[in-house]
Amino acid sequence: MATKILIIGACGQIGTELTMRLREIYGNDNVVAGDIREGGKELMESGPFEIVDAMNRTSIEDICLHYEINEVYLMAAMLSATAEKYPKKAWNLNMDSLFHILNIAKEGKIDKIFWPSSIAVFGPTTPKENTPQQTIMEPSTVYGISKQTGERWCEYYHNKYGVDVRSIRYPGLISWKTLPGGGTTDYAVEIFHDALKNNHYDCFLKKDTSLPMMFMEDAIKATVSIMQTKSENIKQRSSYNLAGMSFTPAEIAAEITMHIPEFTITYQPDFRQAIADSWPGSIDDSVAREDWSWSHDYDLEKMVEEMLDNLK
């Protein structure tokens, strides 16, 4: 049976690039992009698009039925910085949308789900360096609380109802193709835009704040890979740790000055500093590497080069 995919939140930072990659793999007509608003030209013109509200179960079911969808990627979410401003709205969006998809799968209407988690599931009491797959998880942000809860529900639906749901704890994601959407690690994208425009960046985190990051190419590779892996190899049904690189604002700035010598950076930490301080500095993803042969391709040096070359 042909793989027929619906991506909810297809116009977001990850969704845009994921949609294009999945269309390359499975064919344009077999990958339906869905979002509450229209996306960029390439996404809109390369395959089917439907306006879909992640909170509206009926409309999701209708689209699944119409296109004979068997896999859903639920990429719609309110991210960490925005969620702190609208806690209830973030909780409702992040939780209700997941329940809709889990229940549609439970009823046998779709076969497989991808749902992204995040390093935000960890909190101030989590071991900071090489955070293991199984560890203390006491998130202190609205976004983290919703993702931690989502992980528990994914595992529950798998154990109780046999739902084939797969998940990755994304670190901060860096891309030149789309702008970030209200996260705490957004500085690592903004810095490139400002470096090229103004030779200067005013950073909202302290210079020594180390966070786990990943180039978008690697994140897309991981997402495709976990979904293509045989079900029996997916042993973690909550979510998998995933790592690429870890760096501080000072380190990424130093790497940028190798290409733009006149670049300068200043630091004015805001409310996002407290969010960053509650997260790990580096992640141990050995379980993902063992279970489904995950490996990353990009380090800081390669990523900075790629970002500057493409944004120029």
Side-chain angles (χ1 to χ4, degrees), residues 233-245:
N233 292 346
I234 306 295
K235 299 185 178 79
Q236 303 293 328
R237 291 295 180 159
S238 49
S239 193
Y240 277 95
N241 273 5
L242 199 73
M245 57 189 112

Side-chain angles (χ1 to χ4, degrees), residues 13-167:
Q13 190 193 11
I14 310 169
T16 303
E17 297 189 43
L18 181 62
T19 302
M20 299 314 294
R21 180 64 51 84
L22 291 173
R23 283 179 175 167
E24 277 171 32
I25 298 166
Y26 297 106
N28 289 351
D29 293 340
N30 293 326
V31 180
V32 181
D35 210 312
I36 201 145
R37 58 185 167 83
E38 293 193 348
K41 193 168 184 268
E42 191 184 18
L43 181 133
M44 297 300 292
E45 290 177 359
S46 61
F49 176 85
E50 294 284 342
I51 292 285
V52 59
D53 178 355
M55 307 277 277
N56 184 334
R57 178 175 162 165
T58 310
S59 87
I60 295 167
E61 275 196 75
D62 289 347
I63 291 165
C64 288
L65 193 66
H66 178 74
Y67 289 96
E68 300 176 327
I69 299 296
N70 43 37
E71 294 188 10
V72 173
Y73 290 67
L74 176 57
M75 311 308 288
M78 194 179 288
L79 302 184
S80 58
T82 315
E84 288 304 302
K85 296 173 186 169
Y86 310 103
K88 189 72 169 73
K89 206 172 166 183
W91 173 262
N92 291 345
L93 170 62
N94 295 355
M95 296 316 305
D96 289 357
S97 59
L98 175 58
F99 272 123
H100 292 333
I101 305 305
L102 287 172
N103 285 319
I104 291 168
K106 176 191 163 190
E107 289 160 21
K109 293 169 185 171
I110 55 173
D111 301 331
K112 206 190 280 189
I113 299 167
F114 178 80
W115 175 79
S117 188
S118 160
I119 55 166
V121 295
F122 302 119
T125 53
T126 302
K128 273 272 188 215
E129 298 309 320
N130 288 322
T131 302
Q133 174 67 39
Q134 257 91 29
T135 187
I136 297 166
M137 297 162 83
E138 296 181 322
S140 56
T141 64
V142 176
Y143 180 61
I145 292 165
S146 73
K147 287 296 183 187
Q148 221 288 15
T149 311
E151 285 193 16
R152 305 273 62 80
W153 281 115
C154 286
E155 192 172 62
Y156 181 87
Y157 268 71
H158 175 74
N159 292 339
K160 189 93 173 166
Y161 310 117
V163 170
D164 187 355
V165 57
R166 300 158 185 222
S167 179

